[in-house]
Amino acid sequence: MEEIGLLMQGFAVALQPGNMLLMLVGVVLGVLIGVLPGLGGANGIAILLPLTFAMPPVSAVIMLSCIYWGALFGGAITSILFNIPGEPWSVATTFDGYPMAQQGRAGEALTAAFTSSFFGAFVAVVMITFVAPIIAGFALRFGPPEFFAVMFLSFACFVGMAKGSPLKTLAAMMLGFLLAAVGMDTVTGQLRMTFGSEEMIRGFDFLVAVIGLFGISEILCSIEEGLHFRGQKAKIDLKVVLRTWAELPRHWFLAIRSALIGCWMGITPAGATPASFMSYGVARRMSKDPAGFGQGRIEGVVAPETAAHAAGTSALLPMLTLGVPGSPTAAVLLGGLIMWGLQPGPMLFVEQKEFVWGLVASMYLGNVAGLLVVLVAVPWFAAILRVPFPIIAALILTVCAIGAYTVSNAEFDIVLMLIFGIVGYVMKKLDYPLAPLVLALVLGDRTEEAFRQSLLVSNGDLGIFFHNWLSGGIMAAGIALLLWPALAWARAALASGLGRARAA
């Protein structure tokens, strides 16, 4: 098959000594990011993105993607040993992982978590290898109406599948669109909402916004909560690994089901966190002993970790093929590709085959490297949490400031980073989601451009978005998802009214 040949070419790129070194460095940095509460995959990549500007795009994205794999692995370490989720998607792992550590089974829990993570990511990468070229070839038929329809569907998914209030999700998204509109109009070239400030002409850089929204706000929340690190000790030896590996095949159906849930939640903009909770909930519901969950069941570790890694990896599929990220981290990577002069979308598979398949090959290799690194070095990474949190917080704040400054070498960006940090802190306290804001900030210009180009072609007729089955079908799905919370509320209200009527 053609994909196999292209993948072999990708391995030739990824296996270059320089790229292999960057892969290893990326995995180690990613595990550190995953271990430290206050950082995360999206923010870690955002902070380190300026360091890659001098690298070739292939090498840069290989390193950044491996940071992501490492962060996915690292989040499980703190969840199991310290009952502190290093990443949001590791919350579900604490339910059974930490009880296992308290029972003296920390090595077993960590081995199960890392192996399950490896399996989930492997399934997602295989899917990307064979499905991405098909989607990209299909997407070559897209014009401005179809691209707008896809982006509309992406935003609608956030609203329709929101865990919290759909209105809060919509409000966060609108704020992101507002921020994306600041600066120069991409269609007319006119300035908008700069208020006479020269600094505002270039608009709000997504990288500065992400560092503030994710990094600074998380540090402020952690300082407020007075975070302390107290956890279990762990050492993984060969006997524990082999014994756990001998037990895991008994849960093969659970792993496959969790991987499929993760892939679906990753392709839609739901993300790794809902995937981990959904997989844990399904595993508990379908278990013969649901009451045992939360007491130290290995299935309670396998399910969320498999789903989280599958979702985190498969989120790159819509980003590469359609230019629509499936997670906040994918949104940061999307912004990086644009900064390197690469346009994510179907043409990327035509014009930049070396880049695309080098990245896919690095997913296979980075996943293997991540598994080996965490199995060997868990005690070292866990020891980092013995460092007093004030020192860690100060180091993270310093790195954030350096990362923000190096984007444009402008002191004003540090001020913006702090402002975005306060905004992110307030949004978290008020339970407003940050991911829709980041997605709108990254895709706002492209969405507006596709919308306005479509209207220019149709002389202002909105019917162009329904002029064929492709764009019309995507728009219909988006509208259905957008209205789904209102329909669910109406259905619940009607059921409640009927219940009261029967009671009367």
Side-chain angles (χ1 to χ4, degrees):
M1 296 174 65
E2 183 183 4
E3 289 81 6
I4 300 298
L6 293 171
L7 183 61
M8 292 301 104
Q9 296 177 19
F11 275 111
V13 173
L15 287 171
Q16 293 176 3
N19 289 339
M20 289 289 290
L21 178 61
L22 291 174
M23 197 179 302
L24 183 61
V25 170
V27 168
V28 173
L29 289 175
V31 175
L32 289 175
I33 288 168
V35 164
L36 292 175
L39 282 179
N43 188 58
I45 291 176
I47 293 171
L48 298 174
L49 187 57
L51 303 179
T52 65
F53 288 165
M55 299 181 187
V58 177
S59 301
V61 174
I62 285 176
M63 178 178 173
L64 294 175
S65 64
C66 287
I67 291 174
Y68 188 28
W69 311 145
L72 284 166
F73 279 109
I77 297 175
T78 52
S79 297
I80 292 171
L81 298 184
F82 293 84
N83 203 28
I84 299 174
E87 299 284 355
W89 52 76
S90 296
V91 173
T93 306
T94 63
F95 299 159
D96 283 272
Y98 188 63
M100 289 181 69
Q102 290 178 310
Q103 298 165 12
R105 300 162 59 202
E108 181 183 346
L110 288 168
T111 303
F114 299 149
T115 308
S116 302
S117 300
F118 171 83
F119 177 77
F122 179 78
V123 171
V125 176
V126 171
M127 180 196 66
I128 290 175
T129 302
F130 295 100
V131 175
I134 298 173
I135 296 178
F138 181 70
L140 287 173
R141 301 164 55 185
F142 283 21
E146 287 76 19
F147 272 113
F148 175 78
V150 169
M151 292 177 190
F152 176 76
L153 177 62
S154 179
F155 291 119
C157 283
F158 267 103
V159 177
M161 303 179 68
K163 292 185 297 179
S165 168
L167 292 178
K168 288 184 176 181
T169 302
L170 196 59
M173 197 176 294
M174 292 303 104
L175 178 59
F177 280 123
L178 179 65
L179 296 175
V182 174
M184 186 174 292
D185 187 333
T186 57
V187 177
T188 65
Q190 295 180 344
L191 297 180
R192 305 182 296 189
M193 293 185 287
T194 58
F195 304 103
S197 171
E198 293 183 3
E199 296 284 356
M200 301 285 281
I201 292 176
R202 52 192 173 88
F204 296 109
D205 192 283
F206 88 97
L207 192 53
V208 176
V210 166
I211 291 174
L213 289 170
F214 286 93
I216 303 299
S217 66
E218 190 66 33
I219 288 296
L220 292 175
C221 290
S222 299
I223 291 173
E224 180 188 27
E225 295 167 2
L227 188 61
H228 298 286
F229 300 138
R230 298 186 183 92
Q232 307 295 320
K233 293 184 179 180
K235 183 179 180 181
I236 298 181
D237 56 35
L238 185 59
K239 290 183 180 179
V240 172
V241 173
L242 294 178
R243 185 173 67 247
T244 308
W245 281 355
E247 182 182 354
L248 287 177
R250 295 197 293 118
H251 308 293
W252 65 271
F253 183 73
L254 170 66
I256 293 174
R257 184 181 64 218
S258 300
L260 294 177
I261 290 173
C263 288
W264 170 250
M265 298 293 279
I267 294 173
T268 61
T273 304
S276 63
F277 279 99
M278 179 182 291
S279 182
Y280 183 88
V282 171
R284 182 174 184 175
R285 192 176 303 117
M286 299 186 68
S287 173
K288 296 179 181 178
D289 180 26
F293 278 73
Q295 307 299 320
R297 291 280 293 274
I298 195 170
E299 298 98 310
V301 174
V302 172
E305 285 296 313
T306 303
H309 266 236
T313 306
S314 58
L316 299 179
L317 175 63
M319 188 270 284
L320 289 172
T321 57
L322 301 174
V324 177
S327 69
T329 308
V332 177
L333 285 173
L334 172 67
L337 296 183
I338 294 173
M339 294 175 71
W340 289 313
L342 299 171
Q343 189 63 48
M347 290 304 296
L348 196 66
F349 285 75
V350 178
E351 299 173 350
Q352 300 288 341
K353 289 185 177 181
E354 178 180 327
F355 166 81
V356 171
W357 291 102
L359 173 60
V360 173
S362 75
M363 293 181 188
Y364 286 96
L365 298 174
N367 197 29
V368 174
L371 178 63
L372 295 177
V373 167
V374 291
L375 284 176
V376 171
V378 161
W380 302 339
F381 288 118
I384 294 169
L385 295 181
R386 311 295 177 187
V387 179
F389 182 74
I391 296 176
I392 293 175
L395 288 173
I396 294 174
L397 287 171
T398 303
V399 172
C400 286
I402 294 172
Y405 178 79
T406 53
V407 173
S408 301
N409 293 328
E411 295 180 6
F412 183 67
D413 284 343
I414 299 179
V415 176
L416 284 178
M417 176 197 73
L418 295 175
I419 293 173
F420 276 113
I422 295 172
V423 171
Y425 170 78
V426 172
M427 290 181 68
K428 285 184 177 181
K429 299 302 288 185
L430 297 177
D431 201 25
Y432 280 81
L434 296 179
L437 189 156
V438 174
L439 185 67
L441 183 60
V442 172
L443 290 180
D445 286 342
R446 296 181 62 197
T447 304
E448 180 190 6
E449 185 177 349
F451 179 74
R452 293 170 68 179
Q453 286 176 347
S454 301
L455 293 184
L456 287 172
V457 171
S458 66
N459 293 321
D461 183 8
L462 291 174
I464 191 172
F465 298 114
F466 300 90
H467 76 292
N468 61 37
W469 67 270
L470 181 57
S471 60
I474 297 173
M475 286 293 293
I479 292 172
L481 278 171
L482 196 61
L483 297 177
W484 182 256
L487 295 174
W489 175 84
R491 187 169 61 249
L494 180 61
S496 177
L498 291 174
R500 286 195 299 267
R502 290 194 187 99

